[in-house]
Amino acid sequence: MPDSQARSRAVRAVIPAAGLATRFLPATKAVPKELLPVVDRPVLQYIVEEAAAAGISDVLLITGRGKTGMVDHFDRQPYLESRLEAKGDLERLAAVKHTSELAEIYTCRQGEPLGLGHAISYAESHVGQEPFAVLLGDEFVDTDEPLLPAMLELQARTGGIVLAFLEVDWAETSRYGIASVEKAEAPLAAGVAGTAGLGDVFRVTGLVEKPPAEKAPSNLAVVGRYVLPTEIFDAIRRIKPGAGDEIQLTDAMALLLAEGVPVHGIVYRGMRYDTGQPLGYLQAVVQLATKRPDLGPAFTDWLINYVTNDLGGTPTTD
Ligand code: UTP
């Protein structure tokens, strides 16, 4: 694929959120994990805010059975708004309206959760001929250390697939998709270079699903942000069910890589919140609560007191 400055930057995002969320059962039996609250807003709102902050105003939510509440969260609520207005509660009124002003939200349903690749295939008619971003519905990054703008810029320049990497402990490679990489010829462009939290850019030469440390080609784990060209849809059609008997996005990306589509990854060293399982979710709640200007000071005091006096631990600072 020839390099070109003329390619357009992705303007749409797809959020696959139709999975069964088994790691969070029984909470997720009736409530989607994407709607679990982190301080005062659902996880999904943080993700749509991340997309909106990167200039994406068109978001397609892939939902499934029992997940209609996700779309309702971004809808207007005229009755609630008029009650808040009548009470003069302008702060909460603004917060309620804000969710419906973030982006144009579209939705479609994945009839059966047959895998991430299968979920993304539902986006084909919506995204048309343009590259698009994929943001998994259970993780997000700190607003002060954005990742998506650099990924969008790199994809517009390379025309291929752009991934994001976390440098994980070698003992943890077996929990992630791991990339083999070489030095990239496409460093970050002015405008996004120097953004807090961003590390090196690598060219990807291979992808391995959940390798043990001794077989892992690197400790660069693929996290839940992708910018994809439209060729991915045809690749998804051409692959067979893989790990877990699911249609895997990783397999479709590996097929395109083998066919010469450029694949790059940006190392992310900023704060990432993984709310797809209880421990990561609890960490996200505590970290974001302590950062809040309104709740943070009182919550942090309570937390230090709880850890020191009730748990008998010695808090450390870093
Ligand atoms: P996960 O691997 O986290 O699966 O999917 P899951 O079902 O959500 O959760 P666990 O592993 O059972 O606890 C990654 C993302 O892909 C979406 C999920 O909703 C999540 O955002 N997904 C996964 C789909 O939309 N459809 C699928 O068929 C599978």
Side-chain angles (χ1 to χ4, degrees):
M1 200 174 287
D3 197 8
S4 152
Q5 296 293 329
R7 280 196 201 92
S8 55
R9 184 180 179 275
V11 292
R12 292 190 176 86
V14 175
I15 303 181
L20 293 176
T22 54
R23 285 169 296 163
F24 229 130
L25 284 169
T28 46
K29 200 174 160 197
V31 180
K33 66 178 169 182
E34 296 81 5
L35 286 185
L36 294 176
V38 174
V39 189
D40 64 353
R41 66 197 75 170
V43 169
L44 189 58
Q45 184 174 333
Y46 289 90
I47 295 167
V48 174
E49 284 172 349
E50 185 180 325
I56 287 179
S57 58
D58 178 311
V59 173
L60 176 68
L61 273 177
I62 314 281
T63 70
R65 188 167 295 119
K67 300 216 175 196
T68 46
M70 288 197 289
V71 186
D72 293 342
H73 181 71
F74 298 96
D75 218 350
R76 292 294 300 272
Q77 276 260 33
Y79 179 71
L80 177 61
E81 289 171 23
S82 61
R83 291 298 296 263
L84 290 169
E85 198 161 9
K87 278 170 62 181
D89 192 344
L90 300 184
E91 204 175 311
R92 290 198 177 88
L93 175 65
V96 165
K97 281 186 168 171
H98 171 68
T99 61
S100 58
E101 290 160 355
L102 280 170
E104 291 294 329
I105 305 288
Y106 300 87
T107 182
C108 76
R109 289 170 76 91
Q110 182 189 17
E112 251 187 293
L114 298 180
L116 179 57
H118 181 256
I120 287 171
S121 71
Y122 281 81
E124 185 166 14
S125 59
H126 186 80
V127 303
Q129 293 308 307
E130 304 287 333
F132 59 101
V134 172
L135 292 81
L136 296 195
D138 57 4
E139 59 179 84
F140 55 94
V141 305
D142 222 82
T143 44
D144 297 338
E145 299 169 323
L147 167 63
L148 207 48
M151 294 179 72
L152 295 170
E153 184 282 323
L154 186 59
Q155 200 283 332
R157 224 151 18 96
T158 62
I161 293 171
V162 175
L163 308 174
F165 297 139
L166 207 61
E167 294 159 308
V168 297
D169 287 345
W170 284 88
E172 289 193 344
T173 55
S174 60
R175 290 179 42 209
Y176 295 91
I178 300 289
S180 52
V181 297
E182 60 187 30
K183 206 173 169 321
E185 73 289 354
L188 294 177
V192 287
T195 304
L198 298 184
D200 291 335
V201 177
F202 289 103
R203 177 138 188 161
V204 176
T205 53
L207 292 165
V208 199
E209 206 45 60
K210 303 187 170 69
E214 61 280 9
K215 293 214 171 120
S218 77
N219 67 337
L220 298 176
V222 177
V223 295
R225 295 290 177 273
Y226 312 81
V227 188
L228 302 171
T230 52
E231 287 91 332
I232 198 73
F233 297 115
D234 184 52
I236 292 170
R237 271 190 288 275
R238 288 188 285 135
I239 56 167
K240 297 205 161 27
D245 214 21
E246 294 189 341
I247 305 284
Q248 297 287 359
L249 177 63
T250 305
D251 294 343
M253 294 193 302
L255 178 62
L256 291 182
L257 176 66
E259 292 174 349
V261 171
V263 183
H264 292 84
I266 303 175
V267 174
Y268 185 67
R269 300 200 177 108
M271 185 61 82
R272 166 183 172 265
Y273 305 99
D274 177 4
T275 61
Q277 29 74 35
L279 180 61
Y281 171 78
L282 290 171
Q283 288 165 339
V285 171
V286 171
Q287 284 167 316
L288 286 159
T290 56
K291 284 183 180 194
R292 281 275 295 250
D294 51 349
L295 292 166
F299 179 67
T300 306
D301 281 352
W302 172 85
L303 190 61
I304 290 170
N305 193 40
Y306 176 66
V307 172
T308 314
N309 298 327
D310 295 354
L311 295 184
T314 309
T316 54
T317 48
D318 59 14

